[in-house]
Amino acid sequence: MGRVKMVANSNGSSSAEERGGQMPAAVAAKNAPPSTWTVFLFHFALPMALVAILSNINDIYSGLVSFPSHILHAGDNNAGSIQKPSTESNVKKPTLSPKERPSAASIQHPQTQTTAKITTRPTVTTKSSTTAESSKTTSSNRRHRQNAASDPFHQQMESNIRTLRNQYKQAVNTPTEYLAAIKLADFLKYRDTAIHDGGTYQMEAIEVYSRAVSLLEDMWRKMMTNGEDTRKTTIAHGNEQLVDDRNDYSTGLNRELFLDYESKSIEGLLCAVYCNLGKSYFMSNMFERSVQSHNQCLSYDHKYMDALSSRGQSYIILGKYKEAATDFYHVLQMDSNRLFGNVVTGLARCLSADESVLDGGWHSLVKLLEVDIPRQEESLRRAKELTNNNADGTAKHHADTLKHMHHAMFQYHDTKTKNVSEAWKHLSKGNEFKMSTLAPFDEAFEIDKVSRLKSVFTEGFWPADMGSETKTPIFIIGFVRSGSTLLERILDAHPLIVGTGEDSVFNGRLDSIRNDIIKASTTGQDEFLQTVKKLADDVVIDMRKRWEIIDANTKSEEDLSQEEARRSQEPTRFVDKMLSNYMNVGFIHLLFPNALILHVVREPMDSIFSAFKHDFPPGGFDYTSDFASLARLYHSYRDVMEHWDKVLPGRVTHIRYEDMVKDLPGMAPKILEKAGVPWDPVVLEFHQKKHAVNTLSTTQVRKGVYSHHLKGWKRYEEFLGSLLKRIGSRVEFKLNTSLTTLSSYYPA
């Protein structure tokens, strides 16, 4: 079979050459297609330069939170004081090999160790740090910020990081080194929370936090030796509204939760830093090490609420539901002001998985919520009356808490009582509270983004012989809640395939890749082709490095011995699961024309309703909680996938989720054959593999394959009329699994 021609005639007709006939030389010269270089310059470099200026198309769910100035803990809470330094710091990122583990885990505390847990929720801060003005800024700019290096918000964050690195460098071997280290690490952690780009600064944050811990432990030991107090005996709180003498904010190290770093005691500092180190491990998919760090924090005060809340989240990921439920319930009993709202939904997730994990089961939580919900609603009403502004920090806090509470009650009625009417009442209320804290959805922005994508990536856009020949990456794309986690777990169970988590290395580097390609297009064809290949190879190198670090920091001795017996060689495939990369198929094909792109397709309303009923972490999928915005996002997804099938026919491999669920033994061999690895029956037991899955599908994927949830949306059909109308004819997705085997998109 001949090589597929990627540059078609402008009228779309086939040429004489394609029909197999001969063409006179003069006519051939006249009708010769433009060169690869000309096509690329006019179809890629110029359009993409324009796109780079106008917007970043690599993230359909754009929406970053405003930079919280308190993250620096600098006393004046003024991020504006951070200026770009005249010279860049020489502080390097960590280069952690599989044998080099972060030092914090090896630091021993004199007190007993326990097992701890971490969360993705932000560091605890004072209420004053979330003012009405900062909330206004978040709402007004949320939809227009980009996950791109060219974005001013992104550039300011990078400038602040350079400044903090420089300050840290200057503080080395001084009495304030620990404080400079903490401020830098906090900002690095915040940056990776706000900008999802594959965890650019995660390892640096871990290394700097570890240095701060080492310094603080030395200080603590000296103070203990000298008989000095290691925690505060009296505290003057500036935020009395958050501190109630009747609860546990007034006891132990919880009294220091809302103090800035300069005001904390040595033990308060150690607790805060260990907690943030644990959260950084969590963000890096090193859940066991996250637990160890939280254990260190809790060894100073076993009631420290931030660590308990975080530990509960990690226990869920590790499948330890009883331990998670215990931590969550302890926080609920202490936290009368409900500052840790995530523990409510966390506990509900545990009970949904196994009601026996908590004494009293659902009744214990429901009894508490039936009292708390009216109280929180009254507090929200008063906050609105005082400020007359929904974006006020206090009102936003109460709205967010109510969101968690109503979502927990939804899970109770959905899984326990099976009362659909009551379940829907709480789900819709919870989503209303959630949407009240967000800026209005910008539908025109979404439509324009898809339109620009289609105008750039047209037929004839991709020259042949461009990009890397590697088949190492496997990209999983699709709409949210489509069954992608099941597919990733099946692949990851194979000894030659590794899943690298939710943070996409490719997606994280896409903006710089695009800019480098545009620059290289002005240097000449040979150098340009070399640049594209190098950019692709660098992505693969980073994928492998990320796996090596995570693998080295997550395996126990037992796991290692079992794994060595099964995995006798290094993995040859790395799974990059970033669902919104369906927007980036054009770039994926440009860099990796031979890489497998797997599109998970699920029955539309099952996927859409599942997205509507789940409370995703802030940022990526906020607008799936409203019918209008959810429908628009789904239509954008369908528009884009139809476009790729039109301009790159056969390039994307479609896999029906329902086919995997109904016939995994029949589907799994075909999936592995498509991935280019030999059959291994171990993939059929993927749910038994000891692998932590940081996704909302955590509890489901541990159960293996089951089909009782198919068409689950039908239970709520009576409430979904307006959503069905918005989806229209696309309530059906007549797309079949396409697991035909091809050695590459360009067959020889």
Side-chain angles (χ1 to χ4, degrees):
M1 181 177 178
R3 180 178 288 274
V4 176
K5 296 293 185 181
M6 295 308 296
V7 181
N9 296 335
S10 59
N11 61 5
S13 63
S14 61
S15 67
E17 182 184 4
E18 291 169 329
R19 294 192 299 268
Q22 297 296 318
M23 184 181 295
V27 176
K30 179 179 179 181
N31 294 335
S35 69
T36 293
W37 190 243
T38 303
V39 168
F40 188 81
L41 284 175
F42 284 94
H43 287 263
F44 178 80
L46 295 179
M48 287 312 301
L50 178 61
V51 171
I53 295 173
L54 294 177
S55 70
N56 176 31
I57 68 171
N58 74 314
D59 187 357
I60 195 169
Y61 301 115
S62 59
L64 304 179
V65 295
S66 291
F67 162 59
S69 59
H70 69 268
I71 202 77
L72 300 178
H73 297 279
D76 59 356
N77 283 340
N78 183 6
S81 63
I82 301 292
Q83 301 295 328
K84 183 176 181 179
S86 56
T87 59
E88 199 165 317
S89 170
N90 290 323
V91 176
K92 297 180 179 179
K93 295 181 183 180
T95 53
L96 302 177
S97 69
K99 296 181 180 180
E100 295 173 324
R101 311 219 175 173
S103 59
S106 63
I107 296 175
Q108 300 298 316
H109 183 267
Q111 302 180 35
T112 58
Q113 296 182 3
T114 54
T115 31
K117 159 40 200 129
I118 105 154
T119 180
T120 53
R121 60 174 296 284
T123 312
V124 177
T125 59
T126 61
K127 179 187 166 194
S128 60
S129 67
T130 52
T131 62
E133 189 58 38
S134 67
S135 298
K136 264 186 185 178
T137 303
T138 299
S139 298
S140 62
N141 294 327
R142 178 183 292 263
R143 292 294 300 161
H144 300 285
R145 284 196 173 133
Q146 306 152 13
N147 237 17
S150 54
D151 175 45
F153 177 68
H154 186 290
Q155 292 175 342
Q156 183 59 52
M157 294 187 80
E158 295 302 310
S159 175
N160 289 348
I161 288 172
R162 288 192 293 270
T163 297
L164 290 168
R165 280 187 185 137
N166 194 47
Q167 292 174 355
Y168 174 46
K169 178 184 176 182
Q170 294 174 358
V172 171
N173 295 326
T174 71
T176 60
E177 180 182 356
Y178 76 91
L179 191 58
I182 295 172
K183 291 178 180 179
L184 171 59
D186 273 3
F187 200 95
L188 293 170
K189 179 174 73 71
Y190 166 72
R191 189 268 185 201
D192 276 335
T193 301
I195 300 179
H196 303 281
D197 63 351
T200 299
Y201 295 119
Q202 286 173 357
M203 295 314 302
E204 182 179 2
I206 287 171
E207 187 171 277
V208 179
Y209 274 134
S210 299
R211 173 59 179 166
V213 162
S214 179
L215 293 168
L216 290 170
E217 288 279 14
D218 286 344
M219 294 168 60
W220 179 85
R221 280 187 282 268
K222 290 178 181 177
M223 293 177 70
M224 291 291 290
T225 300
N226 296 332
E228 300 177 49
D229 288 334
T230 56
R231 62 176 62 187
K232 289 186 177 295
T233 54
T234 59
I235 296 177
H237 289 281
N239 281 343
E240 287 80 2
Q241 68 271 30
L242 290 179
V243 180
D244 185 340
D245 287 337
R246 296 169 298 174
N247 60 36
D248 282 81
Y249 304 119
S250 60
T251 62
L253 293 177
N254 283 322
R255 295 185 302 168
E256 301 185 34
L257 274 171
F258 310 108
L259 300 181
D260 58 29
Y261 287 131
E262 290 86 349
S263 302
K264 290 180 185 290
S265 68
I266 186 65
E267 291 191 3
L269 283 168
L270 278 164
C271 246
V273 177
Y274 267 127
C275 204
N276 284 338
L277 175 60
K279 293 173 183 178
S280 294
Y281 278 130
F282 184 91
M283 293 164 59
S284 303
N285 292 334
M286 301 181 196
F287 306 109
E288 293 87 354
R289 286 197 171 270
S290 169
V291 165
Q292 292 173 9
S293 293
H294 283 88
N295 288 342
Q296 294 283 2
C297 168
L298 290 165
S299 69
Y300 289 98
D301 186 341
H302 68 280
K303 290 186 176 182
Y304 196 71
M305 285 186 280
D306 196 16
L308 288 171
S309 170
S310 297
R311 188 169 70 177
Q313 301 296 338
S314 290
Y315 278 147
I316 288 181
I317 302 301
L318 295 170
K320 298 181 178 182
Y321 303 123
K322 184 173 182 61
E323 292 88 340
T326 300
D327 278 351
F328 291 145
Y329 196 66
H330 283 168
V331 174
L332 277 174
Q333 291 176 313
M334 293 186 288
D335 180 25
S336 63
N337 288 325
R338 298 295 174 247
L339 299 180
F340 297 89
N342 65 311
V343 302
V344 176
T345 43
L347 183 54
R349 289 181 69 187
C350 295
L351 293 168
S352 295
D354 181 0
E355 189 177 359
S356 68
V357 297
L358 181 69
D359 290 342
W362 274 107
H363 177 73
S364 298
L365 177 60
V366 171
K367 182 179 179 181
L368 182 150
L369 293 180
E370 286 176 344
V371 174
D372 265 8
I373 288 177
R375 190 179 71 172
Q376 288 294 326
E377 288 176 341
E378 175 61 20
S379 297
L380 176 60
R381 185 191 64 78
R382 290 200 304 268
K384 288 181 178 181
E385 288 180 353
L386 290 173
T387 64
N388 195 28
N389 187 344
N390 278 337
D392 172 74
T394 304
K396 187 175 181 179
H397 162 70
H398 291 302
D400 186 67
T401 301
L402 283 164
K403 174 201 71 175
H404 286 295
M405 291 179 171
H406 281 290
H407 273 270
M409 290 298 293
F410 162 72
Q411 290 185 59
Y412 166 63
H413 288 295
D414 183 60
T415 63
K416 176 68 174 177
T417 71
K418 310 296 184 183
N419 187 327
V420 172
S421 296
E422 281 297 304
W424 177 257
K425 180 183 73 173
H426 286 289
L427 175 60
S428 56
K429 286 288 290 183
N431 283 355
E432 285 175 14
F433 283 120
K434 177 179 179 177
M435 296 304 295
S436 72
T437 66
L438 303 176
F441 179 72
D442 192 341
E443 184 173 13
F445 176 78
E446 292 296 329
I447 294 173
D448 184 54
K449 183 159 54 178
V450 173
S451 176
R452 287 197 304 272
L453 180 148
K454 291 181 177 180
S455 69
V456 171
F457 295 102
T458 58
E459 291 183 76
F461 172 88
W462 297 267
D465 302 318
M466 183 176 290
S468 173
E469 296 180 358
T470 184
K471 298 180 182 179
T472 299
I474 297 176
F475 295 93
I476 296 180
I477 62 174
F479 197 68
V480 64
R481 304 296 297 167
S482 62
S484 61
T485 299
L486 173 61
L487 177 58
E488 185 194 32
R489 292 300 92 215
I490 293 170
L491 290 168
D492 182 77
H494 193 282
L496 296 180
I497 304 177
V498 169
T500 56
E502 295 282 336
D503 273 338
S504 167
V505 173
F506 170 80
N507 187 271
R509 297 188 59 151
L510 186 54
D511 188 64
S512 61
I513 287 173
R514 182 190 60 197
N515 293 338
D516 288 344
I517 288 176
I518 293 172
K519 291 178 183 177
S521 67
T522 65
T523 62
Q525 185 169 2
D526 290 341
E527 184 173 341
F528 167 76
L529 293 175
Q530 292 175 7
T531 297
V532 174
K533 183 179 184 304
K534 184 179 185 304
L535 290 169
D537 292 341
D538 286 346
V539 170
V540 174
I541 290 171
D542 281 356
M543 285 179 171
R544 185 171 294 277
K545 286 181 178 178
R546 180 176 176 82
W547 166 73
E548 288 175 347
I549 292 171
I550 294 174
D551 188 67
N553 286 277
T554 56
K555 291 288 193 300
S556 66
E557 293 303 319
E558 179 184 359
D559 292 334
L560 286 171
S561 61
Q562 293 176 353
E563 192 76 1
E564 286 174 0
R566 189 175 66 88
R567 194 190 291 274
S568 59
Q569 60 189 60
E570 292 289 298
T572 61
R573 299 288 186 270
F574 292 94
V575 180
D576 186 303
K577 183 171 82 79
M578 174 67 77
L579 294 182
S580 57
N581 265 339
Y582 65 77
M583 290 291 287
N584 301 321
V585 168
F587 280 107
I588 292 173
H589 182 60
L590 183 70
L591 269 69
F592 302 103
N594 297 317
L596 183 59
I597 304 175
L598 299 177
H599 170 218
V600 189
V601 184
R602 188 180 181 185
E603 199 279 332
M605 284 306 297
D606 269 344
S607 179
I608 292 168
F609 180 64
S610 183
F612 180 78
K613 72 180 184 178
H614 279 86
D615 180 27
F616 298 97
F621 305 111
D622 287 341
Y623 293 94
T624 59
S625 298
D626 174 76
F627 281 176
S629 52
L630 174 57
R632 169 41 53 198
L633 291 172
Y634 186 75
H635 281 300
S636 295
Y637 152 71
R638 292 284 293 269
D639 288 344
V640 170
M641 291 311 305
E642 289 174 7
H643 179 72
W644 297 133
D645 280 344
K646 177 182 177 182
V647 300
L648 288 172
R651 180 63 180 92
V652 175
T653 297
H654 306 295
I655 298 181
R656 296 287 311 199
Y657 171 71
E658 292 80 6
D659 290 344
M660 288 192 293
V661 170
K662 294 177 181 178
D663 184 22
L664 181 59
M667 287 287 292
K670 296 178 182 178
I671 294 172
L672 295 185
E673 182 182 9
K674 189 71 175 178
V677 296
W679 167 247
D680 191 327
V682 72
V683 302
L684 298 178
E685 307 298 329
F686 68 91
H687 56 288
Q688 295 182 8
K689 182 178 179 182
K690 294 181 180 180
H691 186 102
V693 184
N694 184 14
T695 167
L696 285 174
S697 303
T698 295
T699 54
Q700 293 98 318
V701 79
R702 290 186 178 278
K703 299 176 183 177
V705 174
Y706 54 94
S707 59
H708 64 267
H709 63 300
L710 299 180
K711 297 287 185 180
W713 71 275
K714 284 282 189 180
R715 294 175 59 204
Y716 294 88
E717 186 172 9
E718 64 180 295
F719 306 106
L720 303 176
S722 62
L723 178 59
L724 288 166
K725 289 181 181 179
R726 291 177 183 275
I727 301 301
S729 62
R730 281 177 165 167
V731 293
E732 295 184 356
F733 202 168
K734 297 180 179 179
L735 192 65
N736 296 323
T737 294
S738 58
L739 283 170
T740 55
T741 55
L742 282 175
S743 59
S744 73
Y745 187 67
Y746 296 114

